Amino acid sequence: MSGECILIIDDSQEMASHLGEQLLPAFGFRTIQATNGQTGLQIIREQKPDLVMLDLNLPRMTGLDVLQALTAEALDVPVILMTGYGSEKSAIDAFRLGIKDYLVKPFTVEEVLEIIDRALLETRLRHDKERLIVQLRRAEADTRRQLSELNLFLSAGKELLMLKQADAILQYCLSMALRLTNAEMSAIWLPDPETDKLLAYMHGDEVQRRPEFDLPANAMLIGGVYQTGLPFHDAVFSGEGLQLLPGLMARAALLVPLTLRQKVVGVLGVTNKIAPQAFSEREQLMLASLADYTAIALHNAALGQAYESGPANRPLDMFDTQTVMTVSHDLRAPLNSIVGFVDMLSQTTPLNEQQELFLRHIADSAERMMRLVDSLLDLARLDSGLPEARQLCNLTAILADVTMDLRGKALANEIQLVVDTGPDLRPVEGNAARLTQAISNLVDNALKFSPAGGTVRITLTCEGKTMQVRVSDQGRGIDEQYLPHIFDRFFRIENDPNVGGFGLGLTLARSITEAHGGRVTVESRVGQGSTFVMHLPAYMGSELLPSARSASARSASA
Ligand code: ADP
């Protein structure tokens, strides 16, 4: 039983105390007793019981009079009428006046409980429904908030990784830290390579260096996070609050490490000085991920700067395998947490159409970033010169695979995809999955930049000792000034984020071709189209060509 309140209106003291003091409390009900109709009505008006057990034969105001008064005053409460033997006719009148049920005295315990249960069913269902609606409303508001936080968090990650200047990265990180946690102040401490100090940067219109808040790397709290890599999370609402540094007080503080390659490279903190508001676990999680992104972005900016400031300062290879692999690994952590969040949200919360769309958008963006990470890993592997499985590859079969994969895209863009093969073709010695990837990138670009109604033609020929894969389109072409750069890493002519790509497709195609002892050339005219040609050394041996389709080659290299 669920502790519902039952009012017993009965002039028989014996009946009232049997029901009200013994039987019903024993089954978990609260009870109120009234010995006449007037008092009963008053209690109904004031205390709104969940159920009324009403005796028919009351002095002065009878049970039927009470029912009439309830109807007249529109008091909506379920009523069980208690009648003596032979009063069934009155019970019929009482049904007309809206009673839920009636009991004939004397009754058994089972009868009473069964009838009460039945009479309360509707009320219970209504209460359940009301509770559910409140819960659903709360869950919906919660989902909305989480979704917008997640979106903000995701765009923060993307935005940070695109920034090239340390100042801009710090500025963005500090303002995003405030937005993600609703904090009043945000600050970053970064180690000074020259001294043993942590240098303080705080949020303002522009990022502000605040030497007065610099501190030794082993100082309390902030230094502690720097030394141990463990976050600090506390709130003190009495007295003056927490002292983070001499002259820096807060009511609530959240400090997280900036970590790169398992090494702490700084501390990011947010505080509330005025609002008596502690930070939540979720805010800690988001701040930690923001710190991860910031550490990667700062690292990339430092590498980029070293690269631009000339060969003397350039690291041996800015994209050395180890760096890219570690950075990619570090990138995967926040990305995985996004994917996890999205999964959790879609599984645990009922979502409306708009929220589902929103969530799909987030999942797509995360997937896009995963693709970027994978491309970087591919480049790192190719750069490292690590050996990859090699076999004799039939380029005709590879072209068949590429066109099969991209036929859907061609169809959707209303572009005709044509393959021409010349005579006397020879195999090439190489990795079929990589060759498929390189040709795919060229054909994918051709489709991407072709107008509807155009044709993309792939021609496979053998020119002496060279196999040539020629991919021609009738698209917008490439301005002469850009041609020397289009194979560079991250080079993109357009800034339109709707045109997918990271500026790595051609870099990969060239790296793969070069790893096979070949080269890629391009001819292009603005407004007329482009032709990319992969030149690959033909296999001139006499060994029989394996009939392997590239699909099997793909799995061999995966
Ligand atoms: P993404 O993966 O971003 O497309 P790519 O490295 O494949 O990057 O290409 C670099 C740039 O070269 C693209 O941004 C695009 O502007 C240009 N480009 C590549 N292929 C073509 C093409 N077939 N027609 C016109 N422009 C092209």
Side-chain angles (χ1 to χ4, degrees):
M1 297 286 164
S2 42
E4 284 117 332
C5 177
I6 300 181
L7 167 66
I8 301 144
I9 310 178
D10 200 319
D11 60 334
S12 148
Q13 194 59 45
E14 195 189 343
M15 176 56 79
S17 72
H18 171 62
L19 274 178
E21 284 157 32
Q22 292 161 18
L23 183 74
L24 297 182
F27 286 92
F29 293 105
R30 288 180 295 121
T31 58
I32 316 173
Q33 295 168 32
T35 46
N36 61 61
Q38 285 89 345
T39 318
L41 269 174
Q42 197 57 30
I43 293 173
I44 294 171
R45 284 187 205 108
E46 288 166 5
Q47 302 191 34
K48 305 211 174 345
D50 297 300
L51 176 70
V52 177
M53 299 190 68
L54 175 65
D55 186 22
L56 178 65
N57 295 314
L58 292 168
R60 292 195 300 283
M61 194 176 194
T62 67
L64 290 181
D65 295 336
V66 173
L67 288 172
Q68 260 154 2
L70 287 178
T71 314
E73 291 185 39
L75 288 166
D76 186 20
V77 57
V79 177
I80 295 171
L81 192 74
M82 299 182 284
T83 67
Y85 179 71
S87 320
E88 283 84 350
K89 172 158 175 342
S90 308
I92 292 169
D93 293 339
F95 269 113
R96 290 203 188 99
L97 288 167
I99 62 163
K100 287 279 170 217
D101 221 327
Y102 78 101
L103 270 168
V104 180
K105 294 178 188 174
F107 36 72
T108 65
V109 175
E110 287 76 21
E111 277 173 335
V112 180
L113 292 178
E114 198 189 316
I115 273 188
I116 288 179
D117 252 1
R118 256 201 326 258
L120 278 175
L121 187 65
E122 205 176 294
T123 321
R124 283 177 183 158
L125 284 176
R126 200 178 55 236
H127 285 171
D128 280 354
K129 190 173 144 202
E130 282 163 4
R131 236 193 339 265
L132 266 176
I133 288 174
V134 171
Q135 274 175 3
L136 260 176
R137 288 222 173 100
R138 255 191 231 136
E140 211 215 327
D142 223 38
T143 314
R144 259 178 212 286
R145 193 171 41 79
Q146 287 186 29
L147 275 172
S148 69
E149 275 176 7
L150 200 59
N151 201 35
L152 188 66
F153 169 57
L154 184 72
S155 52
K158 275 205 309 211
E159 196 70 31
L160 264 172
L161 293 177
M162 273 152 65
L163 295 173
K164 305 243 174 339
Q165 301 295 330
D167 266 8
I169 293 168
L170 292 182
Q171 174 71 22
Y172 191 83
C173 164
L174 290 173
S175 60
M176 198 43 78
L178 293 183
R179 285 180 68 189
L180 286 173
T181 60
N182 288 317
E184 290 162 13
M185 194 210 72
S186 60
I188 275 193
W189 284 268
L190 297 176
D192 180 5
E194 316 273 306
T195 66
D196 188 26
K197 280 195 154 176
L198 292 173
L199 309 182
Y201 300 83
M202 298 214 168
H203 181 256
D205 287 339
E206 284 182 0
V207 60
Q208 293 168 349
R209 256 292 282 132
R210 299 286 291 269
E212 69 274 30
F213 295 127
D214 288 357
L215 73 166
N218 60 359
M220 286 284 295
L221 292 184
I222 297 158
V225 175
Y226 183 69
Q227 297 291 337
T228 62
L230 296 173
F232 171 84
H233 185 179
D234 203 1
V236 175
F237 298 120
S238 60
E240 293 207 335
L242 276 164
Q243 179 161 36
L244 291 176
L245 283 173
L248 188 58
M249 304 295 296
R251 294 254 165 249
L254 178 55
L255 303 168
V256 295
L258 265 69
T259 323
L260 191 79
R261 306 183 190 190
Q262 278 89 45
K263 194 168 160 256
V264 182
V265 293
V267 176
L268 169 64
V270 287
T271 59
N272 281 334
K273 196 172 173 189
I274 301 163
Q277 203 171 340
F279 297 103
S280 68
E281 291 291 321
R282 229 203 7 251
E283 284 163 344
Q284 178 172 333
L285 206 75
M286 285 197 291
L287 201 68
S289 295
L290 180 69
D292 281 348
Y293 276 123
T294 306
I296 298 167
L298 285 171
H299 178 70
N300 288 347
L303 281 176
Q305 214 176 23
Y307 193 77
E308 271 160 23
S309 59
N313 298 319
R314 197 174 291 171
L316 249 188
D317 183 349
M318 169 180 174
F319 282 91
D320 69 283
T321 313
Q322 192 51 43
T323 308
V324 175
M325 288 197 177
T326 317
V327 173
S328 306
H329 175 262
D330 291 345
L331 263 175
R332 273 181 186 274
L335 277 175
N336 275 332
S337 79
I338 291 169
V339 173
F341 257 136
V342 169
D343 243 22
M344 193 177 78
L345 266 180
S346 50
Q347 278 177 24
T348 55
T349 325
L351 299 171
N352 63 32
E353 223 171 277
Q354 193 196 18
Q355 291 167 334
E356 257 179 37
L357 198 77
F358 206 0
L359 216 56
R360 224 175 305 133
H361 168 67
I362 292 172
D364 286 351
S365 301
E367 202 182 295
R368 217 174 96 80
M369 287 186 74
M370 284 284 195
R371 278 208 302 277
L372 169 62
V373 171
D374 288 343
S375 298
L376 283 172
L377 273 171
D378 279 343
L379 270 179
R381 273 196 209 112
L382 285 161
D383 283 356
S384 74
L386 287 171
E388 293 190 301
R390 295 226 157 190
Q391 63 192 125
L392 283 187
C393 301
N394 176 343
L395 287 175
T396 315
I398 289 179
L399 285 187
D401 266 8
V402 170
T403 47
M404 191 150 81
D405 278 356
L406 291 172
R407 196 158 294 286
K409 181 167 183 170
L411 217 63
N413 294 359
E414 295 172 41
I415 295 164
Q416 218 190 338
L417 191 54
V418 180
V419 180
D420 286 335
T421 45
D424 306 323
L425 299 178
R426 303 213 53 97
V428 298
E429 199 179 354
N431 183 294
R434 288 281 180 227
L435 291 170
T436 308
Q437 188 181 11
I439 299 171
S440 272
N441 287 357
L442 298 182
V443 180
D444 191 65
N445 276 347
L447 291 173
K448 200 157 60 178
F449 297 107
S450 286
T455 302
V456 167
R457 186 173 296 276
I458 313 172
T459 319
L460 178 62
T461 53
C462 182
E463 311 289 337
K465 293 181 177 178
T466 306
M467 290 297 294
Q468 287 188 355
V469 182
R470 182 178 295 269
V471 181
S472 302
D473 65 61
Q474 304 164 328
R476 57 148 210 221
I478 301 167
D479 197 316
E480 210 174 325
Q481 59 168 321
Y482 297 128
L483 281 176
H485 305 292
I486 53 168
F487 293 99
D488 291 352
R489 288 179 160 116
F490 299 114
F491 181 83
R492 302 190 71 208
I493 296 171
E494 58 288 314
N495 276 325
D496 182 358
N498 294 322
V499 179
F502 304 106
L504 289 175
L506 287 179
T507 318
L508 267 168
R510 187 183 58 180
S511 287
I512 292 169
T513 313
E514 287 176 355
H516 284 78
R519 65 200 169 90
V520 185
T521 54
V522 55
E523 285 166 21
S524 186
R525 287 213 165 176
V526 173
Q528 294 186 17
S530 312
T531 299
F532 285 83
V533 188
M534 268 171 84
H535 309 257
L536 292 160
Y539 176 74
M540 303 305 286
S542 55
E543 194 179 316
L544 268 184
L545 185 66
S547 61
R549 302 270 314 163
S550 49
S552 59
R554 228 182 244 176
S555 59
S557 87

